[in-house]
């Protein structure tokens, strides 16, 4: 069975840097992390594009949007009512700290994940994404593709996010950039591997996968 360190090295050797998260600003990453919940990236992207057109992704303008109008702009992402409330909620929280991510990180320290989870609409995966991509922490993000990959590698108890997260410890040398790359590599490999319906090509991980 591959260790996490071996898996990271294999993925990086064969796939190279992923330049992920695809966004021009941290505000766009925050919005994308919420909008991509329970949908595919393209649907989230449509919603981001609409918000860009209407608000230039200015956080104050988004915060001041009537909730119903914000929800209409992000309708393509699905579950748009809850996602609209989540965007308003996290922006109001960030505004309390003038969107100064370093101040927030310093204030909450090791309890930052718990604080993020207390915000409306922010679950475990979204909280970890924000920790890695916004607050530059080192976290393992066992999203659905990652759980399927680890299951194929023979790991047990991979059915839920928290089950796999409790099992996996990132290598001690990991930097924030390593955590970023590992998440992106796993996610992009999963998209390419699991979304092909037939005639899947051999991949460099096949020899490690179990049926």
């Amino acid at each position: 069975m591959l260790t996490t360190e071996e898996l990271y090295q294999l993925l990086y050797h064969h796939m190279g840097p992923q330049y992920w998260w695809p966004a021009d600003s941290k505000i766009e990453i925050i919005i994308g992390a919420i909008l991509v919940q329970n949908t595919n990236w393209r649907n989230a992207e449509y919603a981001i594009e609409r918000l860009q057109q209407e608000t230039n992704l200015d956080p104050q303008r988004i915060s001041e949007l009537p909730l119903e109008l914000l929800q209409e702009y992000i309708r393509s992402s699905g579950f748009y009512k809850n996602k609209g409330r989540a965007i308003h909620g996290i922006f109001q929280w960030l505004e309390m700290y003038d969107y100064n991510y370093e101040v927030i990180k310093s204030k909450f320290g090791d309890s930052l994940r718990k604080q993020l989870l207390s915000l409306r609409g922010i679950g475990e995966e979204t909280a970890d994404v924000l920790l890695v991509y916004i607050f530059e922490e080192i976290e393992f993000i066992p999203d659905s593709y990652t759980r399927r990959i680890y299951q194929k590698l023979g790991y047990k108890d991979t059915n839920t996010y928290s089950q796999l997260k409790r099992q996996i410890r990132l290598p001690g040398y990991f930097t924030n950039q390593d955590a970023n790359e590992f998440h992106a590599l796993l996610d992009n490999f999963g998209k390419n591997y699991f979304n092909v319906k037939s005639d899947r090509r051999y991949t460099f991980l096949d020899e490690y996968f179990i049926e």
Side-chain angles (χ1 to χ4, degrees):
M1 184 186 296
L2 282 177
T3 67
T4 290
E5 181 173 4
E6 290 168 338
L7 176 59
Y8 175 54
Q9 296 298 337
L10 269 173
L11 289 168
Y12 193 86
H13 174 73
H14 286 274
M15 298 172 62
Q18 299 299 292
Y19 306 107
W20 185 266
W21 193 284
D24 293 326
S25 68
K26 288 193 171 184
I27 290 297
E28 186 176 345
I29 293 174
I30 294 167
I31 293 169
I34 293 172
L35 294 181
V36 79
Q37 295 173 7
N38 300 306
T39 191
N40 61 56
W41 178 250
R42 189 56 191 141
N43 289 338
E45 200 169 33
Y46 286 134
I48 294 171
E49 289 169 358
R50 180 72 190 278
L51 267 182
Q52 173 74 47
Q53 293 168 2
E54 301 292 344
T55 69
N56 201 31
L57 299 187
D58 179 276
Q60 184 172 353
R61 290 175 64 182
I62 294 173
S63 293
E64 292 173 353
L65 282 174
L67 180 59
E68 295 77 10
L69 189 56
L70 172 60
Q71 290 168 336
E72 180 59 32
Y73 291 160
I74 64 172
R75 180 182 288 266
S76 68
S77 68
F79 302 97
Y80 58 92
K81 291 186 177 181
N82 287 336
K83 291 179 181 180
R85 295 187 187 98
I87 290 171
H88 264 178
I90 195 170
F91 277 18
Q92 288 165 5
W93 177 71
L94 290 168
E95 190 173 11
M96 293 169 56
Y97 305 99
D98 296 322
Y99 295 88
N100 189 320
Y101 308 111
E102 287 299 323
V103 166
I104 294 171
K105 184 175 176 179
S106 177
K107 175 180 174 60
F108 291 102
D110 292 340
S111 66
L112 180 53
R113 188 175 193 267
K114 183 178 180 180
Q115 175 63 28
L116 290 170
L117 289 171
S118 74
L119 301 176
R120 181 169 187 162
I122 305 299
E124 287 192 283
E125 182 176 337
T126 306
D128 287 338
V129 165
L130 296 177
L131 286 172
V132 172
Y133 293 93
I134 302 302
F135 297 102
E136 299 180 1
E137 295 281 7
I138 302 167
E139 287 286 341
F140 178 56
I141 306 174
D143 60 19
S144 58
Y145 285 128
T146 297
R147 296 197 300 274
R148 292 172 72 181
I149 291 168
Y150 271 83
Q151 183 181 50
K152 292 283 285 181
L153 289 170
Y155 283 77
K156 307 298 183 185
D157 297 324
T158 61
N159 292 328
T160 69
Y161 192 96
S162 57
Q163 280 180 328
L164 185 56
K165 188 170 179 69
R166 283 195 296 267
Q167 293 182 63
I168 303 302
R169 293 292 178 268
L170 297 177
Y173 67 83
F174 256 38
T175 64
N176 169 257
Q177 185 58 36
D178 290 317
N180 177 320
E181 284 290 0
F182 191 39
H183 171 239
L185 287 162
L186 288 163
D187 203 55
N188 286 329
F189 178 88
K191 288 173 185 175
N192 292 328
Y193 185 93
F194 293 111
N195 287 346
V196 177
K197 295 181 180 179
S198 62
D199 298 327
R200 181 177 53 80
R201 295 183 302 167
Y202 173 83
T203 77
F204 56 89
L205 287 183
D206 276 8
E207 64 181 288
Y208 303 99
F209 282 166
I210 63 173
E211 294 301 324

